[in-house]
Amino acid sequence: MSIKGRVWKYGDDINTDVIFPGKYTYTISDPDEMAQYAMEDLDPDFAKNVHENDIIVGGKNFGCGSGREQAVVCIKMSGIGVIIAKSFSRLYFRNCVNNGLYVIVSAEAVDAIENGEEIEVDMDNGTIICGAGTISFPPLPPEVRGIFEDGGLIPHTKKILGTG
Amino acid sequence: MKEAQLSRKKDLMGQTFAEKILSKYSGRTVLPGEIVEVKPDIAMSHDNTAAISGIFEQLGVDTLDDPDRHVVVLDHCTPPANEIFAMNHKITREFVKKHGIKHFFDIEAGICHQVIIEGGLCLPGTIMVGADSHSTTYGAFGAFGTGIGRSETAVIMATGKIWFRVPETIKIIIEGEFPEGTGSKDLILKIAGEIKADGALYKAVEFAGPTIENMSVSSRIVLPNMAVELGAKIGYMVPNKATLDYLEGRAQKEFEVVESDADATFDKIVEFDISELEPQIACPHTVDNVNPITEVVGTKIDEVFFGSCTNARLEDFEIVAEVLDGKKVHRDVRMLVFPASRDIFLEAMRLGYVQSIAEAGAIIMNSGCGPCMGNHEGVPAAGEVVLATNNRNFRGRLGNRESEVYLSCPLVAAYSALNGVISDPRNN
């Protein structure tokens, strides 16, 4: 699987309150509608201009703060195909895997990638092709990869329970 | 042979609390970095139970794995601000009834973490998860407490199980006595300012040392509660005598304290001497943007939010009531007061604290999360400044991205409410 798209680059410690404001957490339950508010308090241009398969690049501790899952769902539904960061908050990382949104931890890639450039991420071979060259990244841990490959925690659990 | 040697070596090594409890619950000796599957004792959800129930229903399972392991508390928008929140509560009540969840606390009870503690459900040596990031709070009682997602909570409802990566542990040793005008909130803000929002990312944080051992139950809770603001998976402390006394006659079942071994391997040991600690303020718009109060004294404020799972317990009420007694909140300031639970509210009323605070002109609100996530009950206007005793000041946190939020302890909040500006309690 590979994804090619435009980069939306942000800084360190991007918190879930600015990704999906708390005031919407109980009033918006439709995933498509969530996408309209993605990044509202960080980058009001994001939701209007993001395209399918675009890529978010963040600094360290991406997704810190509240563990609200909508902060992942809104990003996924906005079309983002992968998030690359120097590190993720643990809850955000879990919520990404559990919702089948691919995450890459690579400080080298984050430093190399420019905002707005088009890059290609090849999940099978573990490479990112960007203006600065080709960068390798480590795969997800095997225990976690299974959840992602099944499409997220809910389909994964249904498969285990035999209720799928 | 190699594996047998490794496991024997593991058995001989001292373990941290996190390694020990995850070994116990997974049935094998584990090291940091390994992934384990465990069955938590308690899984908490709040107003998000309505959404979680919808995810649970997708799983194709008719009944909960163990309804007695679930705690449901309505607190995030109580009473409901509009028909959407009201329906959310209705769905939650119906789900609780249908599945026989006996640990259910409706909108009158208070904030989930406080209600669980008061209900004797937060016990040493147990694994407690919650669909709320501040579930690190439970470490104040020697539990492995951590936040999980909505989907994960739904899966625990169906299977009882969840995976964790075994964390490395940072030990934070605190020594010294709190100088006048400071308390545990100033300490955790000081730590956040020093080690930053990712300083304990993926790690367990163990708070230790004489200062921690001598603190009250309420003051201790503040530290693990905000451990998540350092990126931590859990915050932990060995239950002290005050904590064990608190649990006496309250604990809903027997428990066994689990502690780090004396020869456990810590990722890092950090020491703080608080003898010179000053009141600390987290400035907009991050929790780790911390300054000593002297840097921001005189900043004009429009609202004081005294509440949250961090700082709205009885001892906080005592502190605030003492400052406000016989005085008046500044005419340009709205002071909103949210007891962390109904039990705290009733006791604060009995002791006269509520009387003093209300007579000073503060508005006594119902127990619950209040404006902490911008739902209702005190959303600031654009351009306004809020001084809050809660745990997060991210942009838009209280419901308006054009407002600014400063975080402080209740003592600073009380003096500042009187003066209309951020005020140093040592000069008042």
Side-chain angles (χ1 to χ4, degrees):
Chain A
M1 185 181 166
S2 81
I3 282 172
K4 200 173 190 178
R6 183 200 151 176
V7 168
W8 296 78
K9 189 168 179 180
Y10 300 106
D12 291 335
D13 302 313
I14 301 301
N15 68 73
T16 52
D17 274 303
V18 296
I19 298 173
F20 191 78
K23 62 187 174 188
Y24 301 138
T25 52
Y26 295 99
T27 51
I28 298 171
S29 51
D30 173 32
D32 285 318
E33 197 186 346
M34 285 179 198
Q36 295 170 27
Y37 301 94
M39 298 288 195
E40 183 175 274
D41 283 350
L42 177 69
D43 179 0
D45 291 332
F46 176 84
K48 281 179 271 174
N49 300 314
V50 66
H51 288 102
E52 193 71 21
N53 287 338
D54 276 1
I55 292 157
I56 287 177
V57 174
K60 65 183 177 64
N61 201 19
F62 190 89
C64 62
S66 161
R68 67 186 64 136
E69 212 159 310
Q70 301 96 316
V72 169
V73 176
C74 73
I75 295 295
K76 187 179 179 191
M77 297 313 289
S78 74
I80 289 292
V82 55
I83 306 177
I84 306 168
K86 290 186 178 176
S87 60
F88 289 87
S89 96
R90 56 166 288 274
L91 263 169
Y92 200 84
F93 183 90
R94 294 180 79 100
N95 286 334
C96 281
V97 170
N98 290 339
N99 285 280
L101 177 57
Y102 205 85
V103 279
I104 295 169
V105 180
S106 171
E108 186 193 355
V110 171
D111 287 337
I113 297 167
E114 303 276 348
N115 186 32
E117 72 167 313
E118 186 166 281
I119 66 169
E120 186 173 355
V121 177
D122 184 332
M123 283 90 153
D124 301 324
N125 294 315
T127 55
I128 298 165
I129 302 166
C130 62
T134 300
I135 298 160
S136 299
F137 62 87
L140 289 172
E143 295 90 341
V144 175
R145 203 183 314 149
I147 300 172
F148 174 77
E149 282 169 358
D150 288 340
L153 184 64
I154 299 307
H156 177 73
T157 305
K158 284 166 87 167
K159 193 168 128 184
I160 291 169
L161 292 171
T163 56
Chain B
M1 181 61 193
K2 218 174 180 182
E3 267 187 26
Q5 276 175 347
L6 182 67
S7 75
R8 194 178 316 144
K9 197 177 160 207
K10 277 192 201 172
D11 287 339
L12 290 172
M13 282 162 55
Q15 290 184 305
T16 63
F17 164 78
E19 291 156 20
K20 203 184 264 188
I21 196 161
L22 292 176
S23 294
K24 185 178 168 186
Y25 275 67
S26 66
R28 63 190 171 92
T29 305
V30 295
L31 290 172
E34 290 184 47
I35 306 252
V36 294
E37 192 174 63
V38 296
K39 190 163 185 166
D41 296 273
I42 292 288
M44 185 281 294
S45 52
H46 43 65
D47 299 39
N48 54 19
T49 309
I52 291 166
S53 73
I55 304 171
F56 172 77
E57 273 149 23
Q58 289 172 33
L59 287 168
V61 178
D62 296 328
T63 54
L64 300 196
D65 174 67
D66 183 356
D68 293 351
R69 287 178 189 250
H70 291 275
V71 181
V72 175
V73 187
L74 291 176
D75 64 356
H76 269 50
C77 186
T78 57
N82 60 34
E83 73 276 21
I84 299 170
F85 290 103
M87 181 53 79
N88 208 54
H89 291 176
K90 182 168 181 252
I91 293 168
T92 299
R93 291 187 190 102
E94 286 168 358
F95 182 78
V96 161
K97 203 169 273 182
K98 179 180 173 190
H99 291 284
I101 297 175
K102 67 178 183 189
H103 300 307
F104 172 59
F105 300 89
D106 213 320
I107 65 167
E108 76 285 356
I111 304 175
C112 55
H113 307 304
Q114 182 63 23
V115 166
I116 282 181
I117 287 167
E118 289 172 358
L121 293 163
C122 178
L123 300 175
T126 63
I127 296 183
M128 315 254 313
V129 296
D132 184 283
S133 60
H134 290 110
S135 300
T136 51
T137 303
Y138 308 130
F141 286 75
F144 182 98
T146 192
I148 61 172
R150 291 179 174 188
S151 298
E152 294 177 311
T153 310
V155 168
I156 291 175
M157 284 174 174
T159 68
K161 293 178 195 148
I162 188 165
W163 66 269
F164 286 119
R165 178 187 169 280
V166 181
E168 296 83 4
T169 300
I170 297 177
K171 190 171 188 175
I172 300 183
I173 299 173
I174 313 292
E175 286 181 50
E177 300 219 347
F178 283 104
E180 205 175 330
T182 65
S184 59
K185 179 66 160 290
D186 303 291
L187 172 57
I188 192 67
L189 289 179
K190 175 79 181 165
I191 294 171
E194 297 266 333
I195 80 168
K196 296 294 175 188
D198 67 336
L201 197 57
Y202 299 114
K203 308 267 164 83
V205 170
E206 177 165 343
F207 296 96
T211 311
I212 303 293
E213 282 158 32
N214 293 328
M215 280 163 79
S216 70
V217 174
S218 293
S219 289
R220 284 161 58 95
I221 292 170
V222 174
L223 303 173
N225 171 271
M226 287 188 68
V228 66
E229 312 308 335
L230 316 171
K233 172 175 281 184
I234 67 164
Y236 165 82
M237 37 180 76
V238 177
N240 65 354
K241 183 173 182 305
T243 303
L244 296 173
D245 288 348
Y246 180 87
L247 289 169
E248 186 77 39
R250 187 185 296 265
Q252 292 296 302
K253 60 175 191 178
E254 285 184 21
F255 60 84
E256 196 182 330
V257 172
V258 176
E259 293 181 40
S260 296
D261 292 324
D263 58 344
T265 305
F266 291 97
D267 186 57
K268 198 166 32 169
I269 295 177
V270 188
E271 292 179 49
F272 282 91
D273 184 339
I274 59 162
S275 309
E276 308 282 318
L277 184 69
E278 294 183 85
Q280 304 288 311
I281 304 283
C283 299
H285 294 283
T286 59
V287 184
D288 61 358
N289 184 18
V290 176
N291 286 296
I293 193 166
T294 44
E295 302 283 318
V296 288
V297 157
T299 305
K300 193 182 168 310
I301 55 172
D302 302 288
E303 178 175 313
V304 169
F305 163 32
F306 170 33
S308 87
C309 54
T310 306
N311 272 133
R313 278 175 274 276
L314 194 64
E315 69 175 29
D316 302 319
F317 271 78
E318 183 183 1
I319 288 166
V320 171
E322 201 167 290
V323 174
L324 296 191
D325 188 45
K327 310 234 173 60
K328 286 287 175 217
V329 169
H330 194 277
R331 61 180 155 63
D332 294 336
V333 173
R334 313 174 292 273
M335 182 173 187
L336 306 176
V337 179
F338 302 80
S341 73
R342 184 173 64 168
D343 284 3
I344 290 167
F345 174 58
L346 291 173
E347 192 61 9
M349 200 152 58
R350 195 181 68 76
L351 293 166
Y353 303 155
V354 169
Q355 187 77 23
S356 300
I357 294 169
E359 277 181 358
I363 305 159
I364 310 293
M365 309 289 284
N366 60 300
S367 300
C369 301
C372 193
M373 47 183 313
N375 282 326
H376 67 157
E377 294 186 329
V379 175
E384 287 193 326
V385 176
V386 182
L387 180 63
T389 66
N390 72 324
N391 38 46
R392 288 197 178 123
N393 60 346
F394 300 139
R395 187 183 280 283
R397 174 74 185 180
L398 298 188
N400 193 332
R401 75 184 305 276
E402 303 301 335
S403 65
E404 292 192 328
V405 183
Y406 291 81
L407 305 181
S408 79
C409 66
L411 182 66
V412 168
Y415 279 114
S416 304
L418 293 178
N419 298 332
V421 293
I422 293 178
S423 304
D424 190 333
R426 297 168 302 179
N427 302 336
N428 278 271

